[in-house]
Amino acid sequence: MSKVLLKLENLTMKFGGVTALNEVNLEVREGEILALIGPNGAGKTTVFNVITGVYQATSGSVTFDGHNLAGRKRFQITGLGVARTFQNIRLFGDMTTLENVITATDVHKKSGLVGALFGTPRARREEKENRAKAHEILQFIGIDEYADRLAKNLPYGVQRRLEIARAMGTSPKLLLLDEPAAGFNPQEKVELGATIKKVRDAGYTVLLIEHDMSLIMGISDRVAVLDFGTKIADDSPAVVQNDPRVIEAYLGVPADAS
Amino acid sequence: MKNFNLRDFGAGIWERSNRYQRVAIVLVTITLAALLPFAGASFLATPVAAYDAVLVYPVAIFVLMSLGLNIVVGKSGMLDLGYVAFFAIGAYTNGLLSMHTGLNTWEIMPIGIGAAMFAGVLLGIPTLRLRGDYLAIVTLGFGEIIRIVALNVSWTNGPNGISGIQMPPPILGKEFALDDQKLFFWVVLVMILLTIWMIRRLTVRRPGRAWEAIRQDEDAAELMGVPTLKYKIWSFTLGAAIGGAAGVLYAAKNLFISPEMFTLNVSILILACVVFGGIGNIWGVILGGAILGYLPDRIRFISDARLLVFGLVLVVVMNFRPDGLLPRKKREKALVKKGASA
Ligand SMILES: Nc1ncnc2c1ncn2[C@@H]1O[C@H](COP(=O)(O)OP(=O)(O)O)[C@@H](O)[C@H]1O
Ligand SMILES: [Mg+2]
């Protein structure tokens, strides 16, 4: 079994009286696609927010690649190799597609303001590397033809894909995708599913929030289910699909009552 | 006419030009700017104040300060209502050092810039975590504090200000003179050109992207690995440096400074230049600074009711051109590949 890349231990997140996450344990192994599912408000996005440092967990711990993430700044967590997309698209709308990705590729670059000002060899080289890498990612995701378009003018589906491309720009080990297929028609979902698989096969580990069962069943290695902030299942897609607790959470009725 | 856009027109010419044409455009533009002081006998003449002096202050110094404030407000999206503080620090550095030491203007310049940058960092570290309105209020307060300190402590001569500031020493054998300020204008012009060079360098590379990302969505920027606080402090500090440089020059030009020259009005005026010209676009900002600096001296009645007229003009222009005269609006590359326009 491959090594554990991300580990959540007894993770609890409270917002005032609301317990968004309740003692959640979760392991993501290197090279897998783990789907995180659950009804609206179950706490899925909150998991991403705690991992990426947007919120500090009320209790419990997040360990990534041997590093305890508690108290780290958000950009440092990104630098360690965790990158995410947003459920509600948050691209840099006034930048071009290419610039969106280049902004992300900067995270591992050393040159800063002084290098930029004086055009040091390192700064020039890194600019070149950024550009090449960004084009490579855009090609990989299949949206390189939009490289010079402003992000805000892109078609919806391309924006969703650019979210993924931008996250990949940070050279992450772990990609957190928050409902990347939201608003897609069945055909687009199939295509996106293929892209996500391709991303994983290229060596990334993927933690995927998604609602569409057929998409999940098609691509994920494992499925974890959240309901009201508690993990109620964590197993292979086939097993989870037939778990009465999961069916109850989704349909709102006990499985045996139907 | 409705579709005509001066910014896109200019950008179009630039994009179609080859290397040599670009060099030519730059040289011609700089030459024309440098010849401005000789145009005093034309329609540009100012009725009351000496034309060449007006070109130095307000025009050139406003342009310089607008460029500096634009880094903070336009490029990185932080509303700084206390920009006058750095102008004042530069001016007082020059005033105090030329009073107490034998240093000349050019020796004081780096010290003035350094002092303003130091103040920028000092103010920036605790406050740049704040956003929007809160940052505006804190910076506004800072601007006032600097003025009030200058007004109330004895070592700045309080309300009497500092007089007898030294003229800059000659450059290439040419003396500075009160009745001929061409040389001074050229000095400020060089500062402006240096600033433009610096901003253009920075904006096409990493710092510019970081600022742009911060301006558009600070949280998303941080999550994409941009050390936002660091780049905000840099932005603030560079803006401060330029404000400080403008202050040193202003003191050297005016030879006298006092606290009432550094009121909130100055901050608002420079902000008006930035917004009026085209927030985020250096050419727009230069135009805004030049126009709002120059017009009150050109049209006599305006200078009597400067702020009133400013306010009115701004309200009117902002109604018709909410993004300023030369907006930042970025064009997409003209050549969009076929099929991408689906
Ligand atoms: N910043 C916040 N403040 C208060 N409550 C929040 C906050 N973020 C999330 N919540 C609450 O936490 C619960 C889980 O939200 P979320 O993680 O967005 O659900 P999901 O992504 O699974 O739909 C919801 O009840 C939501 O209202
Ligand atoms: Mg969600």
Side-chain angles (χ1 to χ4, degrees):
Chain A
M1 189 176 281
S2 51
K3 92 172 199 204
V4 173
L5 189 59
L6 177 79
K7 189 170 188 172
L8 312 184
E9 281 172 293
N10 303 322
L11 198 65
T12 298
M13 182 74 228
K14 290 186 179 156
F15 298 105
V18 180
T19 303
L21 295 177
N22 187 12
E23 301 278 319
V24 171
N25 289 285
L26 188 70
E27 287 185 354
V28 183
R29 296 189 199 99
E30 210 159 49
E32 73 174 343
I33 298 178
L34 172 59
L36 183 60
I37 68 171
N40 268 326
K44 306 181 296 292
T45 299
T46 304
V47 170
F48 280 17
N49 282 334
V50 173
I51 296 172
T52 54
V54 175
Y55 301 138
Q56 291 299 321
T58 311
S59 64
S61 72
V62 181
T63 314
F64 173 76
D65 206 14
H67 304 278
N68 184 348
L69 297 188
R72 283 179 206 258
K73 299 220 166 62
R74 288 168 290 173
F75 73 90
Q76 293 169 330
I77 293 174
T78 308
L80 285 176
V82 184
R84 69 178 287 177
T85 66
F86 298 93
Q87 181 176 349
N88 45 340
I89 298 172
R90 291 178 75 169
L91 294 168
F92 306 124
D94 285 340
M95 288 191 197
T96 65
T97 301
L98 189 72
E99 287 168 337
N100 265 277
V101 182
I102 293 182
T103 305
T105 58
D106 278 332
V107 65
H108 296 295
K109 301 300 182 205
K110 300 228 159 45
S111 65
L113 195 116
V114 178
L117 189 57
F118 296 105
T120 56
R122 187 174 68 184
R124 286 156 183 271
R125 174 169 46 78
E126 290 186 344
E127 286 292 322
K128 266 205 197 117
E129 289 169 1
N130 275 343
R131 200 159 261 278
K133 168 124 199 255
H135 273 302
E136 194 181 296
I137 292 171
L138 289 175
Q139 269 155 14
F140 184 84
I141 295 292
I143 56 174
D144 195 43
E145 62 188 297
Y146 298 93
D148 290 331
R149 300 275 299 272
L150 293 186
K152 66 180 175 198
N153 297 339
L154 296 173
Y156 177 80
V158 180
Q159 293 192 348
R160 281 257 171 242
R161 282 168 179 271
L162 177 53
E163 278 265 340
I164 301 175
R166 183 178 64 174
M168 286 170 72
T170 65
S171 307
K173 297 188 183 96
L174 175 65
L175 259 179
L176 309 175
L177 307 180
D178 197 345
E179 305 201 17
F184 277 16
N185 65 34
Q187 172 59 27
E188 290 170 325
K189 280 188 183 173
V190 171
E191 285 166 16
L192 187 80
T195 304
I196 294 172
K197 262 196 141 143
K198 201 172 122 187
V199 167
R200 189 270 307 274
D201 293 342
Y204 299 84
T205 304
V206 179
L207 178 55
L208 167 72
I209 296 179
E210 185 45 62
H211 279 302
D212 189 84
M213 275 300 181
S214 57
L215 176 61
I216 289 165
M217 295 308 148
I219 65 170
S220 44
D221 301 301
R222 217 150 44 88
V223 180
V225 188
L226 277 182
D227 187 26
F228 291 112
T230 307
K231 191 173 87 172
I232 57 171
D234 183 352
D235 214 321
S236 72
V239 174
V240 167
Q241 200 169 18
N242 296 313
D243 187 321
R245 295 226 303 161
V246 176
I247 295 169
E248 185 189 332
Y250 264 88
L251 301 179
V253 286
D256 52 4
S258 55
Chain B
M1 203 57 198
K2 190 103 184 76
N3 289 326
F4 179 76
N5 176 328
L6 188 58
R7 192 218 175 277
D8 286 356
F9 179 72
I13 292 180
W14 184 255
E15 264 164 37
R16 282 192 300 276
S17 308
N18 64 33
R19 227 186 141 142
Y20 300 103
Q21 288 167 325
R22 288 185 181 184
V23 171
I25 293 174
V26 170
L27 290 180
V28 168
T29 311
I30 293 175
T31 310
L32 286 179
L35 290 176
L36 268 180
F38 296 105
S42 69
F43 69 97
L44 289 173
T46 44
V48 182
Y51 170 76
D52 52 350
V54 168
L55 275 188
V56 177
Y57 184 89
V59 177
I61 289 189
F62 270 28
V63 168
L64 186 59
M65 289 173 77
S66 303
L67 282 169
L69 182 61
N70 183 53
I71 299 176
V72 185
V73 182
K75 297 286 178 200
S76 1
M78 303 184 285
L79 186 50
D80 179 354
L81 289 182
Y83 195 56
V84 69
F86 306 116
F87 186 54
I89 288 170
Y92 267 93
T93 305
N94 190 349
L96 291 169
L97 288 182
S98 70
M99 186 162 75
H100 296 297
T101 70
L103 296 177
N104 69 41
T105 310
W106 313 134
E107 289 158 350
I108 292 170
M109 181 59 81
I111 305 174
I113 291 175
M117 288 177 86
F118 181 69
V121 174
L122 221 57
L123 177 66
I125 287 174
T127 58
L128 290 181
R129 291 165 213 276
L130 302 173
R131 301 208 180 158
D133 304 348
Y134 298 103
L135 181 65
I137 290 167
V138 173
T139 50
L140 187 150
F142 178 66
E144 283 296 280
I145 286 170
I146 296 291
R147 182 181 64 83
I148 291 167
V149 167
L151 188 62
N152 288 296
V153 297
S154 57
W155 47 272
T156 61
N157 289 348
N160 298 330
I162 298 173
S163 52
I165 296 169
Q166 295 299 310
M167 281 249 195
I171 294 181
L172 302 174
K174 200 164 173 353
E175 299 273 350
F176 283 82
L178 275 179
D179 56 357
D180 177 4
Q181 306 231 340
K182 291 189 197 69
L183 184 57
F184 215 113
F185 175 76
W186 292 327
V187 167
V188 187
L189 186 63
V190 168
M191 288 298 290
I192 290 172
L193 292 173
L194 275 175
T195 306
I196 293 173
W197 173 80
M198 178 183 88
I199 295 172
R200 285 184 59 95
R201 276 286 176 123
L202 295 179
T203 45
V204 297
R205 295 205 172 115
R206 183 181 186 172
R209 284 191 295 271
W211 292 335
E212 179 78 12
I214 290 167
R215 181 178 70 79
Q216 293 184 38
D217 188 335
E218 191 173 338
D219 292 315
E222 174 101 12
L223 284 166
M224 290 306 134
V226 177
T228 54
L229 185 62
K230 175 175 147 187
Y231 278 101
K232 282 162 79 175
I233 290 174
W234 263 123
S235 163
F236 206 64
T237 309
L238 284 174
I242 295 164
V248 172
L249 290 170
Y250 175 73
K253 190 246 171 205
N254 221 41
L255 306 181
F256 164 71
I257 51 171
S258 70
E260 89 237 358
M261 296 167 174
F262 305 102
T263 59
L264 175 63
N265 279 349
V266 179
S267 299
I268 304 293
L269 230 92
I270 301 302
L271 186 63
C273 295
V274 170
V275 175
F276 172 77
I279 188 165
N281 175 1
I282 51 178
W283 311 114
V285 163
I286 289 170
L287 195 66
I291 292 178
L292 294 194
Y294 170 73
L295 273 190
D297 276 296
R298 174 69 179 82
I299 307 169
R300 179 75 205 285
F301 77 92
I302 292 187
S303 36
D304 300 330
R306 187 185 278 242
L307 282 176
L308 180 68
V309 175
F310 261 36
L312 284 176
V313 168
L314 281 177
V315 168
V316 172
V317 171
M318 288 300 125
N319 248 306
F320 290 107
R321 293 198 70 100
D323 297 321
L325 297 177
L326 296 179
R328 113 165 75 217
K329 197 156 168 235
K330 204 195 241 176
R331 298 182 336 147
E332 298 190 331
K333 284 257 171 70
L335 294 168
V336 177
K337 281 181 198 140
K338 285 221 176 73
S341 51

